[in-house]
Amino acid sequence: MEAVLWYVLTGTRGGENRVRILRALEAQPRNANQLAEALDLDYKTVRHHLDVLMENDVVQRSGDDYGAVYLPSGRCRANWETVETIIQRMDQ
């Protein structure tokens, strides 16, 4: 999982937005629309990044369709120290 986190959050275009989304979800689970508003991003952009994060088991979805709420997956939480390391390096 550590390699997946490094790749998805730093090794691809859009990593910065994925880190922002992950930080927001760690603070409070939200749906895509709430994330778009909170992060001042386009809804379609947020949906794209959520899809990437879900495909890589970094976030999970609770519920269906428009109102689905997203939160960090259990695997992501178990490796949260790696996420924190990535965030610190990106903040420098």
Side-chain angles (χ1 to χ4, degrees):
M1 182 62 169
E2 186 173 340
V4 169
L5 289 168
W6 279 101
Y7 175 72
V8 170
L9 300 178
T10 66
T12 60
R13 240 178 66 186
E16 184 177 319
N17 280 332
R18 287 192 274 277
V19 166
R20 292 178 64 209
I21 289 169
L22 196 53
R23 286 173 108 171
L25 293 177
E26 174 63 16
Q28 174 185 339
R30 308 165 200 236
N31 67 32
N33 190 53
Q34 292 167 328
L35 282 167
E37 288 180 15
L39 301 175
D40 195 29
L41 292 171
D42 182 73
Y43 175 80
K44 288 182 181 182
T45 300
V46 170
R47 288 286 321 149
H48 166 75
H49 290 303
L50 286 170
D51 288 344
V52 170
L53 292 168
M54 283 187 54
E55 288 170 11
N56 288 280
D57 196 26
V58 178
V59 299
Q60 64 188 41
R61 179 172 64 195
S62 178
D64 294 319
D65 299 323
Y66 180 78
V69 174
Y70 296 85
L71 59 153
S73 70
R75 286 183 68 203
C76 180
R77 288 183 188 278
N79 290 277
W80 195 256
E81 286 182 26
T82 300
V83 174
E84 290 291 338
T85 299
I86 293 168
I87 289 171
Q88 288 174 0
R89 290 208 181 156
M90 291 182 90
D91 285 346
Q92 293 176 351

